[in-house]
Amino acid sequence: MINYEENIEVKGARVHNLKNIDVTIPREKLVVITGLSGSGKSSLAFDTIYAEGQRRYIETFSAYARQFLGGLERPDVDKIDGLSPVIAIEQKTTSKSPRSTVGTITEVYDFLRLLFARAGDAHSYNTGEKMVSYSDAQIKELIIEAYTDKKINILAPVIKSRKGHYRELFEQIAKQGFVKVRVDGEIRDIVKGMKVDRYKTHDIEIVIDRLKVQVSEELHKRLAETINTAMYSGDNVLMVIEEGSDVPRYFSRDLMCPSTGISYPTPEPNTFSFNSPKGMCPNCSGLGHVYEVNADKIFPNKKLTIKTGGIAPLGEYKKSWAFKQIETIAQRFGFGLTDPISKIPQEAIDVLLYGGNESFEVDSKSLGVKRTYKIDYEGISNFIKNQFDQAESTSIKRWAKEYMDKIKCPTCEGTRLKKESLYFKIDDKNIAELANMDIAELANFFEGLEKTLEGNQLKIAEEIIKEIRTRIRFLLDVGLDYLSLNRSSKSLSGGEAQRIRLATQIGSQLVGVLYILDEPSIGLHQRDNSRLIKSLESLRDIGNSVIVVEHDRDMIERADHVIDIGPKAGKHGGEIISEGNPHDLKKHHTLTADYITGVKEIKVPKKRRKGNGEKIVLSGCTGNNLKNITVEFPLGKMIGVTGVSGSGKSTLINETLYPIMNAHYFNGVKKPMPYKKITGLEHIDKVIDINQSPIGRTPRSNPATYTGVFSEIRSLFTKTPEASIRGYKPGRFSFNVKGGRCETCQGGGLRVIEMNFLPDVYVECETCNGKRFNRETLEIRYKGKSISDVLEMTINEAVDFFELIPKIHRKLKTIQNVGLGYISLGQQSTTLSGGEAQRIKLATELSKRDTGNTFYILDEPTTGLHFEDIRVLMEVLNKLVDKGNTVLVIEHNLDVIKMVDHVIDIGYEGGRTGGQLIAHGTPEEICKVKESYTAEFLRKELKYKASK
């Protein structure tokens, strides 16, 4: 009998392409599921085991809660035993909100806020002195001690350095029974109708009491009442002034500056949150940046006149109210609409930009009378700003954004917090300075922090510091030492986001959980791989089961148990071809085993290409962590950009090079990171960026529609005799327009069931049974197949089926060539992995006629690819380069790096210590560079192959 407590038993799994498989997965072990892309690894791990765990979890809810959730479909499996609570850590990128940062996702920032609220020292932003706070009893003792036998005034400050006439305030003070106030240092009686100059700044205090301080029971009582009243009126602050002196002394229940009397409210964790009104900077609402209108974008060419379109947002002259106002301004300042912008006086430019409101008279020579004109003009700059802030339409916002620059908020200088929050310090650092440090730097800061704290502070902080330390350690363990806590989560790659979630899970120290991870090694340099594997082993060692879907050689070799799914992809996969420990795997002659044992290999090219002699030179790049580097990209070669995670590869290529090229060839609007100059763009004629973003966000999008082959197939169906008789047009065979589609599901084949608290669930449409079209449309057949049958075909089947139709055959053949023969034409885009989506984009670009002069950029194209798929992909990319194109790949995979013609290695470390060009040249030349981490692993790879 198998002990179910020791194993997870899956019986009869048939989800997607799984062939009714039975599998035994040992618990509390590190299990790797590997196999070709599309062989069914994710179907087993996520769509079977995770989906069943999720369903069982929802079944524990009350019937009331479940009615909002609907029934989650049971995966197509006979039974699963020994399943513990499941947590999936997938590749999905994290929140796209600009308010979400690494600190908020990992909760380290939450602990920092708590630490500063409970153990931070407040300092005055006026004098830098340490703030003090007193109880009422302490204040009474201090007053008696300092002013015995002296006459004093006790005042409550109500207005501090603000303009206004304050008539209502004086009336209110009088109604409360007070008779004297101190205005700007002078004590005055309150009289009826009293007010001050509204255009000057004023300090106003209420005189609460005037008394001589003597030690007596009566005085103690009177002073206590006076202090209480003054605190109530002065918002927890009071002032004491000795008769005949002008120097006030301040006392406060809150934190207060002893010299200037400014006070801070008692700090709470929210005081340090840029997502709460209590802590956020009022100018940028806690985002750290604002948009400001750039006058150079409004007047891009100073040689043009207003008539010929010198004011970019308004365009050329036409009869409109705006131009009528501009004509009036021109009369007022004595210039014409035909004068170049550079000749218009600065005063007039200011009115054009920022508006004006005045009347003026002009002598009319022909009539001999004076005419009055009125300028009532909002100003172009103000109009654009208002449209950006208030318009509801995204297109208007986008239009306004064209004339604006995103700049660091001048109020908080990008720290996102209000002034007061930045003056709470621990060991001379405020919370924003800590959030800006790399995680490695932050770990050093917390290392000896206890020595700088004392007494109560230390007692309070001890536990919090312990929590922060453990969480930082987990982030270091998964190789994220180069990130800082305030790094926006939307700028993280899929691999980084997944490893952050992994660190958060390790930090929560749960036991007895089944974790399922989807290729956690993506985007990770070989150097950091062992750290990641150690983290997964530590999850296993505290008593969890870990299942990893992975192609990485190191991960497979260090697993406790390996399940290989195959033998091929799609319909030809879905079977278990070997399972056991890594040594057992090598005995089987599966594709995976052959690549690991070296029976099969991706061969190093005999010689490297020389290129066409031209190059693009990008100089003076300083975006993010780049250290003013100059990089040459030789054309007509395959270029590999390498370096440890966080070294600046994406900043150089995706944030600097691609936006410059995109703007040059296609008028792209994305602003590149700072650089000095670029030369050589004339040697290529277009740039294509093939990234991993999904190809469609709805189930309506599929490979057939994305690649454009579906339009050709629809045209083919309209040419069948039956369709011609019925007069069907291509629209009849579209599931996106009325006519031929099933109207119940509107051509989706699925119906959406909206969940109130969970993602929407899709169920098959009961009218068309998922076929998407109505009966009449399905009656039209080509070679015995309806349009719905064609969408069900895999690419491999479709290539044979449409062999005689060159237009369709060519597009399908390119999809097959990039190794996607196993997916079906109508497969929903939402079910494709990141790597598959990227290869469909690649196939779409390949099916177009290339110019032989194109620059392709691919960001980690090997994501989700098995060794065999990498070999197929590299063949496709090599064909592109052989035609004269340039292909640039950002990659960590050594099988790719050893095959490129030219390597650009960025380093040395990640984060602040990265951003330098370490080496460039052929892989063999890179191997000679001692400082490069990439070279260290490349030497093993090239020698390893040589020794074979």
Side-chain angles (χ1 to χ4, degrees), residues 8 25-33 45-46 49-50 83-90 498 501-518 520 535-549:
I8 298 166
I25 300 171
R27 286 169 60 90
E28 295 184 18
K29 294 277 185 279
L30 176 57
V31 179
V32 168
I33 301 179
F46 289 97
I49 299 172
Y50 174 61
L83 193 59
S84 46
V86 189
I87 292 177
I89 304 176
E90 294 180 80
Q498 190 181 19
R501 281 215 288 288
L502 175 62
T504 311
Q505 285 302 334
I506 303 173
S508 63
Q509 295 284 302
L510 295 173
V511 175
V513 172
L514 169 60
Y515 286 102
I516 304 182
L517 290 95
D518 186 6
S535 300
L536 295 175
E537 287 171 344
S538 71
L539 260 186
R540 171 199 68 190
D541 296 342
I542 59 175
N544 296 301
S545 313
V546 182
I547 296 179
V548 186
V549 176

Side-chain angles (χ1 to χ4, degrees), residues 618-631 647 651-652 656 674-677 906-907 912 914-917:
L618 178 60
S619 42
C621 304
T622 53
N624 289 342
N625 63 343
L626 296 179
K627 311 277 190 302
N628 195 10
I629 61 172
T630 296
V631 186
S647 58
T651 304
L652 175 66
T656 313
Y675 70 101
K676 287 201 182 103
K677 69 171 187 171
I906 310 275
R912 295 192 181 165
Q916 301 173 53
L917 181 63

Side-chain angles (χ1 to χ4, degrees), residues 292-312:
E292 193 179 67
V293 178
N294 180 345
D296 291 339
K297 288 184 178 176
I298 291 175
F299 305 117
N301 183 352
K302 300 270 172 75
K303 290 175 186 161
L304 289 177
T305 67
I306 292 178
K307 263 228 157 103
T308 54
I311 303 177

Side-chain angles (χ1 to χ4, degrees), residues 188-228:
R188 291 155 58 173
D189 289 327
I190 298 177
V191 293
K192 202 172 180 183
M194 178 173 178
K195 60 180 185 179
V196 289
D197 185 341
R198 65 181 297 178
Y199 298 110
K200 290 185 179 165
T201 52
H202 301 287
D203 293 324
I204 301 173
E205 298 93 24
I206 305 171
V207 179
I208 304 289
D209 200 355
R210 307 174 83 174
L211 63 151
K212 188 173 182 184
V213 181
Q214 287 166 330
V215 185
S216 71
E217 187 62 41
E218 194 183 320
L219 181 98
H220 273 265
K221 204 171 160 193
R222 178 174 169 186
L223 200 51
E225 280 174 12
T226 302
I227 290 169
N228 202 15

Side-chain angles (χ1 to χ4, degrees), residues 9-13 19-24 78 576 579:
E9 284 286 310
V10 180
K11 295 271 187 221
K19 306 272 195 325
N20 198 14
I21 58 173
D22 299 347
V23 58
T24 302
D78 294 339
I576 304 273
E579 56 179 318

Side-chain angles (χ1 to χ4, degrees), residues 69-80:
L69 303 174
L72 267 188
E73 281 288 307
R74 187 193 160 93
D76 191 1
V77 57
D78 294 339
K79 68 171 185 171
I80 301 183

Side-chain angles (χ1 to χ4, degrees), residues 238-296:
L238 65 80
M239 270 167 72
V240 178
I241 296 183
E242 194 184 334
E243 288 268 338
S245 157
D246 271 344
V247 183
R249 183 165 172 192
Y250 293 92
F251 298 95
S252 171
R253 288 176 185 162
D254 295 334
L255 290 164
M256 178 203 74
C257 166
S259 306
T260 59
I262 52 162
S263 72
Y264 299 167
T266 310
E268 306 161 33
N270 271 1
T271 310
F272 304 98
S273 165
F274 44 78
N275 293 331
S276 152
K278 287 192 172 166
M280 64 170 64
C281 160
N283 187 37
C284 62
S285 302
L287 292 174
H289 58 78
V290 289
Y291 284 93
E292 193 179 67
V293 178
N294 180 345
D296 291 339

